[in-house]
Amino acid sequence: MRVRAMQRKLHRWAKADPGRRFDDLRNLVYDPAFMVVAWSRVRGNKGARTAGVDGIAPRDIGFAAAELLGGLRDDLKANRFVPCPVREKAIPKASGKVRRLGIPTTADRIVQAALKLVLEPIFEADFQPCSYGFRPRRRAQDAIAEIHYLASPNRSYEWVFEGDITACFDEISHPALMGRVRARIADKRVLAWIAAFLRAGVLSEDGLNRETITGTPQGGILSPLLANIALSVLDEHFAAKWKALGPEWTRAKHRRAGGAVMKIVRYADDFVVMLAGQRADAEALWDEVSAVLAPMGLRLSAEKTRVCHIDEGFDFLGWRIQRRAWRNRSGKRAVYTYPSKKALASIVDKIRTLTRCRSHRTLADLLRRLNPVLRGWCNYFRHGVSSRTFGYIDHFAFWRVVGWLRKRHLGLNMHTLIRRFAPGWQIQAEGIEMFRPETVVIERYRYRGTRIPTPWSPAETPGTPAPAA
């Protein structure tokens, strides 16, 4: 495939020369092959049914796609392309606050996807292994596995600095972000397109146009990559501190002498710093991290940022991570990862909402909605100590569905209800069986270290050993 071959070249060149600035990338952005791949990604995205300010969703475009791509290509080549404001959509959060998404038009999404196809292989060559969010072939389980690896008794990174950035996507400084982009990109046309997307503005839900002088809108295809470029200042800072300590034996000597050793684990704008040292060393990170973030226009949240010990435990990406005594083994301790109370409450609320009496016409309709929710949640948490939680969710979901059936069939007693709808205590309808969380097999997710390959250089990383801690 032409696009993948070109991406491999860009990634290889960026990896070979960390100081190289890429010029003449505009031809790739509006290359017909890149435009077609960009359109296929926009068309297949989960948000393809959602329209921007023009009222046209990607799924609404049928045979007119070729004409749309041709017109976009002509506008990009002639430097006539101007992005539209994003449509603001407020999504309620569990905390009671709202997350404001910015939904671009279909044309803008295609251009952003094409830009990402070109830029991502270049910047992926610079990103540190400790970053996991919105990166290809990386997932939240990798971040949890690294925390488990560092906190385990053999390495004993016992102090945890939980960082929370206030309104990260809304407050990133445009000049600082573009400065980091220019360190790698010299093509003025490409830089102008990126800056135009950042300044495109927002059409609020009440119909008002609002300028965007900071931040990158959540909901844009290019936004996660730009956020990672901005937040990589944190990764680079802690990577430089780690490198300054020298080889493994000097780090061990430094630790024995009472010095602090630390590593950051970041997933998008959520991060923790695992530290081997004293609480005072962790507390000192408040000022240090704030100083690193300040040039990017970012700041730590005073309410949500905190320092804790691994024995106290903390929540990260939906997981509860805590060191405890081994079951049935006195004196030994191990790090446990399991679903947090907040994650458990979230799935319980979803099950309760889906199993309300008038939500679905038939049992089959209910199972079609409920099964993906249960399966997705269990697949995410099946790599932790989740057996008891899965058993609880299984019991709760089963009896909620039974309760739904009782309300729909008031004339049936429990015995008849179970015989008709749940033979063998397995609820089913129209050939669809209810997904049972208690049947999910628990598997430990292994820490992959620096052995995670990119889509463009799979041959260069499999033999790389995990970093010493």
Side-chain angles (χ1 to χ4, degrees), residues 260-271:
V261 179
M262 61 194 73
K263 299 203 77 172
I264 187 173
V265 179
R266 184 175 65 82
Y267 190 93
D269 58 336
D270 295 320
F271 70 94

Side-chain angles (χ1 to χ4, degrees), residues 214-433:
T214 61
T216 175
Q218 292 190 59
I221 293 176
L222 196 59
S223 293
L225 176 61
L226 295 178
N228 268 334
I229 292 172
L231 291 170
S232 59
V233 294
L234 276 174
D235 310 336
E236 293 165 4
H237 173 78
F238 285 98
K241 291 187 68 171
W242 178 265
K243 186 177 180 181
L245 292 174
E248 184 178 356
W249 69 270
T250 60
R251 289 196 298 270
K253 183 178 179 181
H254 180 72
R255 288 185 64 172
R256 287 195 298 271
V261 179
M262 61 194 73
K263 299 203 77 172
I264 187 173
V265 179
R266 184 175 65 82
Y267 190 93
D269 58 336
D270 295 320
F271 70 94
V272 297
V273 180
M274 306 296 295
L275 186 140
Q278 304 298 320
R279 183 183 183 95
D281 299 318
E283 294 285 359
L285 288 174
W286 268 94
D287 294 335
E288 185 176 329
V289 172
S290 296
V292 174
L293 292 174
M296 298 305 305
L298 301 174
R299 53 201 171 89
L300 289 173
S301 168
E303 296 80 17
K304 296 182 180 179
T305 301
R306 72 183 190 114
V307 172
C308 69
H309 194 273
I310 191 64
D311 290 346
E312 178 185 349
F314 64 99
D315 293 348
F316 188 61
L317 303 179
W319 294 85
R320 182 69 180 174
I321 306 169
Q322 189 172 11
R323 189 172 66 181
R324 295 179 174 179
W326 275 17
R327 295 173 185 169
N328 304 324
R329 296 200 182 185
S330 59
K332 292 190 176 181
R333 303 179 72 78
V335 177
Y336 287 84
T337 57
Y338 51 93
S340 67
K341 290 182 178 179
K342 186 176 180 180
L344 179 59
S346 175
I347 188 64
V348 165
D349 286 343
K350 287 181 181 179
I351 295 170
R352 187 177 285 116
T353 300
L354 288 171
T355 52
R356 288 194 178 124
C357 183
R358 303 192 181 188
S359 299
H360 309 280
R361 293 178 58 192
T362 66
L363 176 59
D365 291 338
L366 170 59
L367 295 181
R368 288 189 188 98
R369 292 286 307 278
L370 181 62
N371 281 352
V373 172
L374 293 174
R375 185 179 290 110
W377 195 87
C378 291
N379 282 338
Y380 182 80
F381 288 108
R382 70 187 179 93
H383 299 296
V385 186
S386 307
S387 181
R388 286 187 179 180
T389 306
F390 286 175
Y392 172 79
I393 292 297
D394 184 277
H395 181 272
F396 179 80
F398 180 90
W399 288 106
R400 283 292 300 186
V401 175
V402 170
W404 182 88
L405 286 168
R406 292 187 70 181
K407 292 176 182 177
R408 293 299 296 263
H409 304 277
L410 297 174
L412 299 182
N413 60 36
M414 181 62 74
H415 176 76
T416 305
L417 204 68
I418 295 298
R419 178 172 54 81
R420 182 178 298 182
F421 296 103
W425 296 94
Q426 177 58 55
I427 298 174
Q428 54 187 315
E430 299 179 17
I432 303 173
E433 290 189 355

Side-chain angles (χ1 to χ4, degrees), residues 82 132 145 154 157 321 379:
V82 179
Y132 297 100
N154 291 340
Y157 284 67
I321 306 169
N379 282 338

Side-chain angles (χ1 to χ4, degrees), residues 50-58 82-89 101-109 200-205 207-210:
T50 307
V53 294
D54 59 353
I56 302 173
V82 179
C84 298
V86 297
R87 180 172 70 86
E88 187 177 68
K89 178 68 175 177
L101 300 182
I103 304 170
T105 63
T106 297
D108 290 353
R109 280 183 246 188
V202 175
L203 179 64
S204 64
E205 291 183 301
L208 298 176
N209 277 305
R210 189 172 70 247

Side-chain angles (χ1 to χ4, degrees), residues 39-156:
W39 164 243
S40 67
R41 294 193 177 182
V42 170
R43 184 76 165 75
N45 192 277
K46 290 181 180 179
R49 292 186 178 90
T50 307
V53 294
D54 59 353
I56 302 173
R59 291 284 174 90
D60 297 336
I61 299 174
F63 297 106
E67 182 180 349
L68 172 63
L69 295 180
L72 269 178
R73 187 167 185 267
D74 291 342
D75 288 344
L76 289 169
K77 288 182 70 174
N79 201 23
R80 293 192 302 263
F81 174 78
V82 179
C84 298
V86 297
R87 180 172 70 86
E88 187 177 68
K89 178 68 175 177
I91 306 296
K93 298 169 68 174
S95 62
K97 299 181 180 179
V98 294
R99 176 181 287 109
R100 301 193 178 278
L101 300 182
I103 304 170
T105 63
T106 297
D108 290 353
R109 280 183 246 188
I110 295 171
V111 177
Q112 287 191 32
L115 280 167
K116 186 179 180 183
L117 288 171
V118 175
L119 298 176
E120 190 173 46
I122 296 172
F123 286 98
E124 274 290 327
D126 298 333
F127 290 158
Q128 299 294 322
C130 60
S131 167
Y132 297 100
F134 304 118
R135 295 184 60 189
R137 297 187 180 175
R138 290 169 173 260
R139 54 185 72 95
Q141 284 82 358
D142 287 309
I144 301 301
E146 180 168 5
I147 293 172
H148 185 278
Y149 174 84
L150 294 170
S152 58
N154 291 340
R155 283 154 288 275
S156 295

Side-chain angles (χ1 to χ4, degrees), residues 11 14 369 456:
H11 186 75
R369 292 286 307 278
W456 316 287

